[in-house]
Amino acid sequence: MLASLSLLLTGCLITPGKFASELILSDDQEFAFSYDGEIFFLALSDLGPRPTGSQTTPFEASPCYVDGTGEERTCTRNEIEGQRQEWARESENEAEQARMQAEQMAAMLGGIDPTDPQAGEKIAALLMRQKGYESVVSKGKGVFEVKYRIAGKLTHDFMFPVMEGIPTTNPFVQILLRDGDIARINAPGYAAINEGNPVPAMFGGVGTLAGLSMLNEEQGGNTEGMPALPMPDGRFTIVLTPAMQIRANNTDEGAVETARGQELTWMINSATTAAPTALIALNP
């Protein structure tokens, strides 16, 4: 189970919560990108590794039964001691697995131990020293309230989020430039199910949130339901000048003419299965 959880947390390390995101493309091949809202680190949530020792439940002797009849009887002192030794061995193995998992997660978090009570504040400080992050506030249990702004020239590919020391396993937005001033814009992190997310394959395609719920119950968590995890809930908008040509997109309504130019908008929620994508000719 810990191996499956480790795969989940590393394959889908961060996800959006409630957010509003916008990408503005200008005729002079400049861009401006913004993200306002929640970023959720699964490794710091209730599904992440817990401090060593916190996994162990107090020893409690199991019932003993009469052979052949199944009738419950009083356990002997030796039987109880045998149960206690087995419990100690299992507790030690569990603690070692938890320690190894925490080390694996720390390697994915720029060296920050996810079981450290100050892990949230340390990640917030890590992000705040990077250009673009105007505000990062840890709200606890892996949830961060983020305000991000960046602008530049479209002379290279772009990806968000990029975090120092933290591998980007589930990028929210990508701009991929092709020859001929063509831009492919993908937002894989804004879909509940995508090729970069291992959870659907692990759980028969039931989706990220259902997979998390199943993992939580198998760990002995709240069997009444999954813990309060942020749901993807937001809006992604691309703003283009009238001169640009939209060659392909998968919005529901297509481009809308506004005072700012052409706008493509995707509404994102936990049921979103198709990642937003658009193919734009910047200089048709």
Side-chain angles (χ1 to χ4, degrees), residues 62-103:
S62 300
C64 296
Y65 301 94
V66 177
D67 292 341
T69 67
E71 182 180 352
E72 188 172 340
R73 62 172 175 79
T74 301
C75 296
T76 66
R77 181 177 301 177
N78 287 341
E79 287 172 330
I80 293 176
E81 182 57 28
Q83 291 184 28
R84 189 185 303 277
Q85 291 176 5
E86 179 63 24
W87 168 83
R89 284 192 295 269
E90 292 179 355
S91 297
E92 184 177 348
N93 290 337
E94 188 177 359
E96 177 62 16
Q97 287 182 309
R99 184 191 64 78
M100 293 175 59
Q101 188 188 53
E103 288 182 354

Side-chain angles (χ1 to χ4, degrees), residues 205-255:
V206 297
T208 302
L209 296 175
L212 290 173
S213 178
M214 292 167 64
L215 274 174
N216 181 51
E217 292 188 12
E218 289 190 27
Q219 289 188 104
N222 178 13
T223 56
E224 297 286 329
M226 61 186 289
L229 305 179
M231 299 277 194
D233 180 11
R235 181 182 71 254
F236 177 48
T237 302
I238 301 176
V239 182
L240 315 167
T241 67
M244 294 178 183
Q245 182 184 63
I246 301 171
R247 295 191 174 178
N249 75 93
N250 64 346
T251 60
D252 287 336
E253 303 296 335

Side-chain angles (χ1 to χ4, degrees), residues 37-201:
E38 296 172 332
I39 293 181
F40 180 46
F41 282 71
L42 291 172
L44 271 62
S45 73
D46 288 338
L47 292 176
R50 290 171 288 172
T52 301
S54 64
Q55 303 84 8
T56 303
T57 55
F59 171 73
E60 185 175 341
S62 300
C64 296
Y65 301 94
V66 177
D67 292 341
T69 67
E71 182 180 352
E72 188 172 340
R73 62 172 175 79
T74 301
C75 296
T76 66
R77 181 177 301 177
N78 287 341
E79 287 172 330
I80 293 176
E81 182 57 28
Q83 291 184 28
R84 189 185 303 277
Q85 291 176 5
E86 179 63 24
W87 168 83
R89 284 192 295 269
E90 292 179 355
S91 297
E92 184 177 348
N93 290 337
E94 188 177 359
E96 177 62 16
Q97 287 182 309
R99 184 191 64 78
M100 293 175 59
Q101 188 188 53
E103 288 182 354
Q104 293 172 351
M105 291 299 101
M108 300 290 291
L109 292 172
I112 297 173
D113 182 355
T115 67
D116 182 350
Q118 300 300 313
E121 286 70 20
K122 291 179 179 180
I123 288 179
L126 180 70
L127 298 184
M128 278 300 295
R129 73 183 186 187
Q130 288 189 231
K131 186 174 182 178
Y133 289 95
E134 297 182 356
S135 174
V136 181
V137 178
S138 174
K139 299 171 66 177
K141 295 188 180 294
V143 179
F144 295 81
E145 189 72 30
V146 169
K147 183 175 182 180
Y148 181 88
R149 301 280 188 281
I150 202 163
K153 281 279 192 180
L154 286 174
T155 57
H156 50 79
D157 295 341
F158 168 79
M159 181 168 63
F160 173 81
V162 176
M163 304 173 183
E164 183 179 346
I166 300 177
T168 303
T169 57
N170 190 36
F172 292 7
V173 176
Q174 301 167 313
I175 304 176
L176 306 173
L177 299 179
R178 299 180 180 179
D179 290 337
D181 290 335
I182 305 297
R184 163 68 73 181
I185 301 166
N186 297 325
Y190 293 160
I193 301 174
N194 61 69
E195 292 181 356
N197 188 345
V199 180

